[in-house]
Amino acid sequence: MAPEAGDAGQIIVTGRAQRLYRTETTTVGKAAQDPLDIPQALQVINKDLFADQGARDATDIYRNISGVSFFSYAGITFRGFRQDQSFYDGMRGNPFIGFSVPQLFNIERVEVLKGPAGLFFGPGSPGGIINYVSKTPEDKTGMRLVATAGNYDRRGISAEASGPVDDDGVVTYRLGGFYEASNPYRINTKNVSLIGDGAIAIRTNEGGKLTLQATVYDNDLQANRLRGILTDNDGNFLGNIRWNANEPTDFLHLKSQAYQARYATAIGDRVTFDAGVRYFKATETQQYHEPRGLVAGSADLVAREFRDQIRDVDGLSFSANLTARVDLLGMEHKLQTGADWYDETSVLSSRILRAGVTPLSLSNPVYTNSARDVARAALLPFTVTDTRTKRKGAYLQDQISLSDAFMLVGGVRYDKFEDGVVGNRFYTDDDVTFRTGAIFKPRRDVSVYLSWSQSFEPQSASSQTIDAGGPFAPVTGDQFEGGVKTDLFDGRLQANFAAYRIVRKNILQADTSLPPVNGQDQLRPIGEVTSKGFEIDLSTDITPNWVALINYGFNDTKITGTIAGQAITNAVGNRFANAPKHKLGFWTRYQVPVIDTAIAFGGEYVSKRISLSGQAVKPYTIFDASLTKRLGFAELMLRVDNIFDKVYAASGFSAQSGHFPGEPRTFLAELRFSF
């Protein structure tokens, strides 16, 4: 959880041009810390970059993160591994369940810790974690109003106000509201997004603050439970990227709420403590047509089925962290300890109409059949799956300063978890994860580090049955990483390099050499995957008015252990779906003070990939630009994405549902008022 004691957890940005996108403090390690003192690669994307890039949701910022690329919906490929888990203020409880994407309106910054993060965050993918840090009440009175317009009938308005409630500033508040609607480029689609956010912060003692926050989301997405566009094996789209398998009356509607309380305090100048509780409840209702590939014998008709689904998810998190600096035997120890607990209930009610759904033409789609499919599906019973998830863990880490230039880090965490589906067997187990590292700082603004870190993920509850050979130990991840971080020229140049090797073990596979038991294939934890690569991140002031961001990631992920002839999830042969070997992103902004104008230009390159079905996903390069003009107390931002209107696949999925197309050229204008 992001501490707020004093100013320890705040990002400092000096000037609108110099060090514009830089951060000096991160809380991704559960305590406010200089990134140079963390022996793992990380990135922080702040609200200044959100504003300059016109970022609306999480998918808009992935191009700024080396080692991360889009997979599907909110899911990403992270250092070669698919993952879709997010944290909010250091706690579990993502209100964007299922097929919705996290919004950024009420987010201050996004923190990305790369590689296994089991020590601080418990069970998760070995690729890394993403932590969304919420906006909180500010000490100074201020208001911001933004009006938005763009092509595809985009229109919107948002407002934020914050400041002290009383003369002494003991109580501060924040209120925010966001509305945006559009008719995106896919046929039949219409999106309406609403966000309401409110918070009160109370200064409870010297250096201590209690923050209470409530956020509500309402995303009404017409015909927008989207799959991709079918392709041939070479990755060529078989239809126009505007094609949509959904009828005009299909929809996805997400309603969710998140409530949290966070307390943080400094005890003297050597101890900090924070604790938090977070509750969220989300309901996602879907009625949509799912593409099922080409009709046998046709090169134009796409088979479909109709799905009526309701996802109800609620979760409750607790978290507490204590940090103390202690001198022992002539050395300073930074001791961190903490514990967290999470309980989630996820209920999926689903009915699927597979027979009698009219196919849809790729070349000339005619949409007329939704009402009939809805009525026929309503005669089917719902299949209800009630999944329960419990997590609890505690950690201890010691960071020892042997000298001003040399630090050692060591930590251990214990986790206990329980997973299961109501009506079936529940599975309980535990695990221990470690992290160790060494940091050498030849000067205060250069850090050379080595680390070893671990992660684990419980096996799927459905795979733990005795008939299948279970129960099985969790999937594990081990990473060795080395790198260099710099903060040179008084922070005007941050250049980071990291090289890593991740080994993921205990992946379950069906062992066909053994006979089934009661109809269940016998599983064995034989699968092993190795991910190797390196990343380069550069953030610099080329001149006092010219800033640039560049990130590059190379990754090679392959199966290194398997049962002969048996696949591993998300793999085709020895390669992995949507795992590019090369990804490059850049963004540069030049400020012209004499006319109060800034011009920005950026781009992204993603190398070739494969889909889940082994079809090629072509490489692509796209470019974006923006212009920001100050108008007294107002500011006008004009932005264009995909300048050259490139037709490309943002990611591959399956032969039945196609590749996800990237957005065509889009225009966005924002008029921003600050008071």
Side-chain angles (χ1 to χ4, degrees):
M1 182 170 75
E4 296 178 16
D7 293 328
Q10 294 182 1
I11 288 180
I12 301 170
V13 179
T14 55
R16 186 67 181 103
Q18 295 186 20
R19 310 190 63 186
L20 179 59
Y21 307 126
R22 254 61 58 78
T23 57
E24 297 177 341
T25 303
T26 178
T27 56
V28 75
K30 294 295 183 81
Q33 196 166 11
D34 185 336
L36 270 64
D37 294 340
I38 297 175
Q40 255 178 278
L42 62 93
Q43 281 183 259
V44 180
I45 312 298
N46 65 23
K47 63 182 180 181
D48 291 305
L49 191 55
F50 298 167
D52 281 352
Q53 294 188 342
R56 290 299 192 274
D57 60 46
T59 62
D60 293 327
I61 64 171
Y62 295 154
R63 67 177 56 186
N64 303 301
I65 308 170
S66 59
V68 168
S69 57
F70 175 68
F71 197 110
S72 63
Y73 309 105
I76 58 175
T77 300
F78 206 150
R79 287 190 168 179
F81 299 108
R82 182 180 182 180
Q83 74 110 317
D84 55 8
Q85 193 173 69
S86 300
F87 292 80
Y88 282 76
D89 301 303
M91 293 181 285
R92 296 179 188 271
N94 182 8
F96 296 97
I97 61 172
F99 299 89
S100 298
V101 180
Q103 305 290 300
L104 299 176
F105 166 70
N106 60 318
I107 300 300
E108 178 76 18
R109 64 187 187 272
V110 177
E111 301 179 329
V112 182
L113 181 62
K114 302 178 181 181
L119 178 70
F120 292 121
F121 293 94
S125 167
I129 65 99
I130 295 179
N131 181 46
Y132 294 91
V133 179
S134 303
K135 292 180 180 178
T136 55
E138 298 180 359
D139 294 331
K140 294 183 179 180
T141 299
M143 182 176 178
R144 177 180 169 86
L145 180 68
V146 179
T148 303
N151 61 338
Y152 300 112
D153 297 323
R154 175 180 279 181
R155 64 275 187 199
I157 190 167
S158 65
E160 301 173 79
S162 188
V165 174
D166 60 299
D167 293 339
D168 296 327
V170 174
V171 180
T172 53
Y173 78 96
R174 168 184 153 77
L175 289 174
F178 175 91
Y179 164 83
E180 189 166 283
S182 65
N183 299 327
Y185 68 99
R186 300 286 291 272
I187 297 172
N188 298 328
T189 57
K190 181 178 181 180
N191 297 351
V192 178
S193 295
L194 296 167
I195 303 174
D197 184 54
I200 292 177
I202 305 168
R203 191 170 70 236
T204 56
N205 56 285
E206 186 66 30
K209 185 180 290 185
L210 172 66
T211 303
L212 307 174
Q213 191 165 15
T215 309
V216 295
Y217 306 89
D218 192 313
N219 286 359
D220 191 359
L221 312 180
Q222 175 185 304
N224 205 350
R225 170 59 167 84
L226 293 173
R227 293 298 195 183
I229 311 297
L230 270 61
T231 69
D232 61 23
N233 290 335
D234 294 324
N236 301 303
F237 288 118
L238 298 180
N240 192 293
I241 63 168
R242 297 187 66 244
W243 188 88
N244 188 355
N246 288 312
E247 297 284 336
T249 51
D250 288 352
F251 65 88
L252 183 155
H253 190 190
L254 172 73
K255 299 184 71 172
S256 63
Q257 310 91 41
Y259 308 95
Q260 64 182 33
R262 293 174 290 155
Y263 173 69
T265 187
I267 305 170
D269 60 358
R270 311 210 81 185
V271 178
T272 62
F273 171 78
D274 68 81
V277 57
R278 178 179 176 85
Y279 172 76
F280 84 97
K281 180 174 178 59
T283 299
E284 188 177 73
T285 307
Q286 309 172 4
Q287 288 186 355
Y288 68 101
H289 285 77
E290 172 81 1
R292 303 299 295 170
L294 290 172
V295 172
S298 174
D300 182 64
L301 292 177
V302 178
R304 297 185 299 168
E305 61 186 33
F306 178 73
R307 298 182 179 182
D308 185 359
Q309 299 178 333
I310 303 171
R311 299 172 186 269
D312 283 305
V313 183
D314 63 84
L316 181 64
S317 288
F318 293 100
S319 175
N321 304 278
L322 176 70
T323 301
R325 297 184 180 274
V326 180
D327 293 322
L328 292 173
L329 302 176
M331 296 176 289
E332 184 182 76
H333 295 250
K334 181 183 178 182
L335 295 168
Q336 281 184 247
T337 186
D340 47 71
W341 178 91
Y342 182 63
D343 191 342
E344 179 183 287
T345 299
S346 177
V347 180
L348 171 62
S349 302
S350 177
R351 51 192 177 192
I352 301 176
L353 182 66
R354 293 188 169 92
V357 180
T358 303
L360 190 67
S361 168
L362 279 169
S363 60
N364 185 29
V366 177
Y367 299 95
T368 59
N369 300 293
S370 186
R372 183 173 65 90
D373 292 337
V374 171
R376 292 174 60 223
L379 301 176
L380 301 174
F382 276 112
T383 298
V384 179
T385 306
D386 186 348
T387 304
R388 307 296 173 91
T389 301
K390 293 184 179 181
R391 304 279 186 265
K392 53 186 176 183
Y395 72 90
L396 174 66
Q397 177 180 276
D398 189 7
Q399 182 167 300
I400 307 170
S401 297
L402 300 178
S403 67
D404 291 340
F406 192 49
M407 290 183 286
L408 294 177
V409 177
V412 60
R413 178 184 174 101
Y414 172 78
D415 280 281
K416 190 176 181 67
F417 55 89
E418 181 180 25
D419 294 320
V421 177
V422 173
N424 296 316
R425 180 176 181 270
F426 275 68
Y427 174 65
T428 301
D429 201 356
D430 55 21
D431 207 349
V432 177
T433 50
F434 297 90
R435 182 172 83 156
T436 61
I439 301 169
F440 174 62
K441 301 178 76 171
R443 44 187 287 172
R444 66 173 181 80
D445 51 10
V446 176
S447 171
V448 182
Y449 70 91
L450 291 170
S451 65
W452 172 63
S453 55
Q454 291 186 305
S455 68
F456 78 95
E457 300 162 88
Q459 304 283 3
S460 168
S462 62
S463 301
Q464 297 286 21
T465 65
I466 295 174
D467 287 346
F472 298 101
V475 179
T476 62
D478 289 79
Q479 173 184 269
F480 286 96
E481 180 178 306
V484 180
K485 302 179 184 181
T486 68
D487 191 23
L488 301 169
F489 308 113
D490 195 27
R492 292 191 298 274
L493 172 63
Q494 290 184 347
N496 303 322
F497 170 82
Y500 60 87
R501 182 177 184 270
I502 304 172
V503 179
R504 195 179 195 185
K505 296 182 178 180
N506 289 351
I507 301 171
L508 292 182
Q509 294 183 277
D511 189 346
T512 55
S513 68
L514 299 174
V517 175
N518 295 326
Q520 291 270 350
D521 288 335
Q522 293 299 284
L523 303 177
R524 293 292 179 268
I526 302 296
E528 178 185 283
V529 178
T530 300
S531 169
K532 297 181 291 186
F534 65 89
E535 296 157 354
I536 300 171
D537 300 292
L538 176 67
S539 180
T540 183
D541 298 338
I542 301 172
T543 72
N545 291 309
W546 188 7
V547 298
L549 300 176
I550 302 173
N551 70 83
Y552 169 75
F554 169 82
N555 175 265
D556 186 19
T557 301
K558 291 183 178 178
I559 296 172
T560 49
T562 185
I563 294 175
Q566 290 297 304
I568 287 178
T569 302
N570 296 322
V572 179
N574 69 349
R575 298 176 62 196
F576 279 79
N578 293 313
K581 276 196 173 184
H582 306 278
K583 176 179 174 281
L584 172 69
F586 74 92
W587 180 260
T588 183
R589 180 184 189 273
Y590 186 76
Q591 183 168 294
V592 187
V594 69
I595 57 173
D596 281 337
T597 300
I599 303 169
F601 179 69
E604 178 184 36
Y605 166 75
V606 177
S607 65
K608 64 180 180 180
R609 294 157 288 164
I610 59 172
S611 73
L612 291 165
S613 301
Q615 294 177 309
V617 183
K618 291 183 174 182
Y620 69 85
T621 304
I622 54 174
F623 299 98
D624 316 298
S626 73
L627 183 146
T628 305
K629 169 68 176 174
R630 289 195 176 276
L631 307 169
F633 64 88
E635 182 179 78
L636 175 66
M637 191 273 284
L638 304 174
R639 177 176 169 85
V640 56
D641 291 325
N642 194 358
I643 294 173
F644 301 107
D645 205 17
K646 171 79 171 179
V647 175
Y648 69 99
S651 73
F653 206 66
S654 70
Q656 289 187 327
S657 58
H659 293 359
F660 289 103
E663 277 200 341
R665 181 166 50 226
T666 57
F667 299 96
L668 172 68
E670 283 191 348
L671 187 59
R672 305 162 176 166
F673 300 89
S674 297
F675 306 96

